[in-house]
Coordinates of all heavy atoms in Angstrom, one line a residue:
I1 N -43.2 84.0 -68.7 CA -43.1 85.4 -68.3 C -41.5 85.6 -67.8 O -41.1 84.9 -66.9 CB -44.0 85.8 -67.2 CG1 -45.5 85.6 -67.7 CG2 -43.8 87.3 -66.8 CD1 -45.9 86.5 -68.9
P2 N -40.8 86.5 -68.4 CA -39.4 86.8 -67.9 C -39.4 87.2 -66.5 O -40.0 88.1 -66.0 CB -38.9 87.9 -68.8 CG -39.8 88.0 -70.0 CD -41.2 87.4 -69.5
K3 N -38.6 86.4 -65.7 CA -38.6 86.6 -64.2 C -38.0 88.0 -63.9 O -38.2 88.5 -62.8 CB -37.8 85.5 -63.6 CG -38.6 84.1 -63.6 CD -37.8 83.0 -62.9 CE -38.6 81.7 -62.9 NZ -37.8 80.6 -62.3
T4 N -37.1 88.5 -64.7 CA -36.4 89.8 -64.4 C -37.3 91.0 -64.5 O -37.1 92.0 -63.9 CB -35.2 89.9 -65.3 OG1 -35.6 89.8 -66.7 CG2 -34.1 88.9 -65.1
T5 N -38.4 90.8 -65.4 CA -39.2 92.0 -65.6 C -40.7 91.8 -65.2 O -41.4 92.7 -65.0 CB -39.2 92.3 -67.1 OG1 -39.6 91.2 -67.9 CG2 -37.9 92.8 -67.5
G6 N -41.1 90.5 -65.1 CA -42.6 90.3 -64.8 C -42.8 89.2 -63.8 O -41.9 88.4 -63.5
K7 N -44.1 89.0 -63.4 CA -44.4 88.0 -62.4 C -45.9 87.7 -62.4 O -46.7 88.7 -62.6 CB -44.0 88.5 -61.0 CG -44.2 87.4 -59.9 CD -43.7 87.9 -58.6 CE -43.9 86.9 -57.5 NZ -43.5 87.4 -56.2
I8 N -46.3 86.5 -62.4 CA -47.7 86.1 -62.2 C -47.9 86.3 -60.7 O -47.4 85.5 -59.9 CB -47.9 84.6 -62.6 CG1 -47.6 84.5 -64.1 CG2 -49.4 84.3 -62.4 CD1 -47.6 83.1 -64.6
V9 N -48.8 87.2 -60.3 CA -48.9 87.6 -58.9 C -50.1 86.9 -58.2 O -50.2 86.9 -57.0 CB -49.0 89.1 -58.7 CG1 -47.7 89.8 -59.2 CG2 -50.2 89.7 -59.4
A10 N -51.0 86.4 -59.0 CA -52.2 85.8 -58.5 C -52.9 84.9 -59.5 O -52.7 85.1 -60.7 CB -53.2 86.8 -57.9
G11 N -53.8 84.0 -59.0 CA -54.6 83.2 -59.9 C -54.2 81.7 -60.0 O -53.3 81.3 -59.3
E12 N -55.0 81.0 -60.7 CA -54.8 79.6 -60.9 C -54.9 79.2 -62.4 O -55.6 79.8 -63.1 CB -55.8 78.7 -60.2 CG -55.8 78.9 -58.7 CD -57.0 78.1 -58.0 OE1 -58.1 78.6 -58.2 OE2 -56.7 77.1 -57.4
I13 N -54.0 78.3 -62.8 CA -54.1 77.8 -64.2 C -54.2 76.2 -64.1 O -53.2 75.6 -63.8 CB -52.8 78.1 -65.0 CG1 -52.6 79.7 -65.1 CG2 -52.8 77.5 -66.4 CD1 -51.4 80.1 -65.7
I14 N -55.4 75.8 -64.1 CA -55.7 74.3 -63.8 C -55.7 73.6 -65.1 O -56.5 73.7 -66.1 CB -57.1 74.2 -63.2 CG1 -57.3 75.1 -62.0 CG2 -57.3 72.7 -62.8 CD1 -56.4 74.9 -60.9
Y15 N -54.7 72.6 -65.2 CA -54.5 71.8 -66.4 C -54.4 70.3 -65.8 O -53.5 70.1 -64.9 CB -53.3 72.2 -67.2 CG -53.0 71.2 -68.3 CD1 -53.9 71.1 -69.4 CD2 -51.9 70.4 -68.2 CE1 -53.6 70.2 -70.4 CE2 -51.6 69.5 -69.2 CZ -52.5 69.4 -70.3 OH -52.2 68.4 -71.3
N16 N -55.2 69.4 -66.3 CA -55.1 68.0 -65.9 C -55.4 67.9 -64.3 O -54.7 67.1 -63.7 CB -53.8 67.4 -66.2 CG -53.9 66.7 -67.6 OD1 -55.0 66.6 -68.2 ND2 -52.8 66.2 -68.1
G17 N -56.2 68.8 -63.8 CA -56.5 68.8 -62.4 C -55.5 69.4 -61.5 O -55.7 69.4 -60.3
K18 N -54.4 69.9 -62.0 CA -53.4 70.5 -61.2 C -53.2 72.0 -61.6 O -53.4 72.4 -62.7 CB -52.0 69.8 -61.5 CG -51.9 68.4 -60.9 CD -50.4 67.9 -61.2 CE -50.2 66.6 -60.6 NZ -48.8 66.1 -60.9
D19 N -52.9 72.8 -60.6 CA -52.5 74.2 -60.8 C -51.1 74.3 -61.3 O -50.1 74.0 -60.5 CB -52.7 75.0 -59.5 CG -52.5 76.5 -59.7 OD1 -52.1 76.9 -60.8 OD2 -52.6 77.2 -58.7
S20 N -50.9 74.6 -62.6 CA -49.6 74.6 -63.1 C -48.7 75.7 -62.6 O -47.4 75.7 -62.8 CB -49.6 74.7 -64.7 OG -50.2 75.9 -65.1
L21 N -49.3 76.6 -61.8 CA -48.4 77.6 -61.2 C -47.7 77.1 -59.9 O -46.8 77.7 -59.4 CB -49.3 78.9 -60.8 CG -49.9 79.6 -62.0 CD1 -50.7 80.8 -61.4 CD2 -48.8 80.1 -62.9
K22 N -48.1 75.9 -59.5 CA -47.6 75.3 -58.3 C -46.7 74.1 -58.5 O -46.1 73.5 -57.6 CB -48.7 74.9 -57.3 CG -49.5 76.1 -56.8 CD -50.7 75.7 -55.9 CE -51.5 76.9 -55.4 NZ -52.6 76.5 -54.5
I23 N -46.6 73.7 -59.8 CA -45.8 72.5 -60.1 C -44.3 73.0 -60.3 O -44.1 74.2 -60.5 CB -46.2 71.7 -61.3 CG1 -46.2 72.5 -62.5 CG2 -47.6 71.2 -61.0 CD1 -46.6 71.8 -63.8
S24 N -43.3 72.1 -60.3 CA -41.9 72.5 -60.5 C -41.7 72.8 -61.9 O -42.4 72.5 -62.8 CB -41.0 71.3 -60.1 OG -41.2 70.2 -61.0
E25 N -40.5 73.5 -62.2 CA -40.2 73.9 -63.5 C -39.9 72.6 -64.3 O -40.2 72.6 -65.5 CB -38.9 74.8 -63.5 CG -38.4 75.2 -64.8 CD -39.4 76.0 -65.7 OE1 -40.3 76.6 -65.2 OE2 -39.3 75.9 -67.0
K26 N -39.4 71.6 -63.7 CA -39.1 70.3 -64.4 C -40.4 69.8 -65.0 O -40.5 69.3 -66.1 CB -38.4 69.3 -63.5 CG -38.0 68.1 -64.2 CD -37.3 67.1 -63.2 CE -37.0 65.8 -64.0 NZ -36.3 64.8 -63.0
E27 N -41.4 69.7 -64.1 CA -42.8 69.3 -64.5 C -43.3 70.1 -65.7 O -44.0 69.6 -66.6 CB -43.7 69.2 -63.3 CG -43.5 68.1 -62.3 CD -44.5 68.2 -61.2 OE1 -44.2 69.0 -60.2 OE2 -45.5 67.5 -61.3
M28 N -43.1 71.5 -65.5 CA -43.7 72.4 -66.5 C -43.0 72.2 -67.8 O -43.7 72.2 -68.9 CB -43.5 73.8 -66.0 CG -44.3 74.8 -66.8 SD -46.0 74.6 -66.6 CE -46.6 75.1 -68.3
R29 N -41.7 71.9 -67.8 CA -41.0 71.6 -69.1 C -41.5 70.4 -69.8 O -41.5 70.3 -71.1 CB -39.5 71.5 -68.9 CG -38.7 72.8 -68.7 CD -37.3 72.6 -68.9 NE -36.7 71.6 -68.0 CZ -36.2 72.0 -66.8 NH1 -36.2 73.2 -66.4 NH2 -35.7 71.1 -66.0
S30 N -42.0 69.4 -69.0 CA -42.6 68.2 -69.7 C -43.9 68.5 -70.3 O -44.4 67.7 -71.2 CB -42.7 67.1 -68.6 OG -43.7 67.4 -67.7
I31 N -44.6 69.6 -69.9 CA -45.9 69.9 -70.5 C -45.7 70.9 -71.6 O -46.3 70.7 -72.7 CB -46.8 70.6 -69.3 CG1 -47.2 69.6 -68.3 CG2 -48.0 71.3 -70.0 CD1 -47.9 70.2 -67.1

């Protein structure tokens, strides 16, 4: 989601037992 226009304001996205909304951008790029 483009940071300048949008935002994930709530919720969880659980992948491999982790909430991907809480991991770093570096970790997210590896996924």
